Amino acid sequence: MTARHDVALVTGAGSGICAEVARGLAARGLHVVLLDKDAEAVHRVADGLGDRLARDPLIADVTDPHALTSAVDSLAPQHQPGVLVNGVGGDTRARPVTELTEADLQEAVTHNLASVFTMTRLCVPAMVAAGWGRVVNLASVAGRTYTRFSNAAYVAAKAGVIGFTKQCAYELAPHGVTVNAVAHGVIGTERIRRAWEEKPPQWTADRVSHIPAGRFGSVAEAAGMVCHLCGEDAGYTTGTVVDVNGGLHI
């Protein structure tokens, strides 16, 4: 079974950056397979894709490898993705390491790293068979350096995503499959804005003051680079970590 150049699978596609990525890829002419655990949210996104929706959304929790395996196994040959966007993750809990436990680390790794590992492992063989593929992993500025916005468990998990991306890029380049990561800074998704609204105004002002651009990034700005790396003209770009962070980390 081989992957199709014109089919993209996007995880975490029910909201935020990944919903916008799905819309962006559809606008570029790809047929999109959506995956999310929130059936109501992902069906709302699906309703806006029209005939660019490849099939009914896959409803699965990315922290459950068995559910992911079943979801990918359910794809018909015409829905085998040549493009995979691993887009879930995120943690807005700014907690010191002295308050974290092993359970926090396990949760961060399961959500942010293990899910990327599982989806890549499941989808890449069909890309190798086709001799073409694109994998884009959502990392984070936190995995590039340190964070004022989250915690050490999240940083460790996203740093793992970057390491995984580079190794996969090295292994898969001879097969025509590129693997890249996009390290976003603070993006103004609904989830992030809700989390920040709960903080004292001075807390928010202090964090924004450390962003040279002086603002959140937009969801469209965040998704645009992801969509570019999914394209035919990104075929000589692999193993990269593209920073989309308003100058927060240079």
Side-chain angles (χ1 to χ4, degrees):
M1 192 173 293
T2 62
R4 294 177 55 103
H5 292 212
D6 61 342
V7 176
L9 194 162
V10 183
T11 70
S15 62
I17 297 170
C18 295
E20 187 67 16
V21 167
R23 288 187 283 265
L25 294 176
R28 288 163 169 78
L30 276 72
H31 298 279
V32 184
V33 179
L34 308 176
L35 186 150
D36 201 286
K37 67 179 181 180
D38 187 333
E40 183 178 353
V42 78
H43 275 98
R44 283 198 299 269
V45 177
D47 289 344
L49 297 183
D51 61 2
R52 288 300 169 183
L53 183 69
R55 50 153 290 159
D56 289 340
L58 302 172
I59 310 303
D61 187 335
V62 297
T63 66
D64 183 346
H66 299 294
L68 293 181
T69 300
S70 296
V72 174
D73 285 348
S74 74
L75 296 175
Q78 68 268 28
H79 299 145
Q80 293 298 314
V83 174
L84 171 65
V85 177
N86 285 310
V88 295
D91 190 341
T92 57
R93 298 172 300 171
R95 296 164 57 193
V97 67
T98 52
E99 295 180 8
L100 298 175
T101 67
E102 282 74 13
D104 293 311
L105 178 62
Q106 184 62 52
E107 179 183 353
V109 169
T110 299
H111 197 195
N112 294 283
L113 177 56
S115 60
V116 172
F117 174 89
T118 300
M119 287 302 297
T120 302
R121 176 181 65 78
L122 292 172
C123 294
V124 155
M127 299 181 193
V128 170
W132 190 94
R134 300 284 184 269
V135 180
V136 183
N137 301 321
L138 266 63
S140 169
V141 65
R144 295 283 271 166
T145 175
Y146 61 91
T147 180
R148 296 174 179 271
F149 312 106
S150 187
N151 58 71
Y154 179 71
V155 169
K158 286 301 191 182
V161 170
I162 291 172
F164 179 74
T165 297
K166 290 179 177 291
Q167 180 64 26
C168 290
Y170 166 72
E171 294 182 16
L172 297 172
H175 303 285
V177 179
T178 68
V179 188
N180 294 288
V182 178
H184 292 111
V186 185
I187 305 300
T189 63
E190 290 184 16
R191 179 180 64 85
I192 293 297
R193 290 188 180 279
R194 284 198 304 269
W196 283 44
E197 285 170 359
E198 298 173 359
K199 304 290 186 181
Q202 186 54 46
W203 187 96
T204 300
D206 175 69
R207 268 60 180 182
V208 172
S209 73
H210 288 91
I211 304 172
R215 62 175 178 86
F216 292 170
S218 72
V219 173
E221 289 169 327
M225 181 54 67
V226 177
C227 291
H228 167 69
L229 291 171
C230 294
E232 190 74 41
D233 57 352
Y236 205 58
T237 302
T238 196
T240 64
V241 183
V242 182
D243 295 303
V244 181
N245 60 40
L248 187 61
H249 170 70
I250 297 175

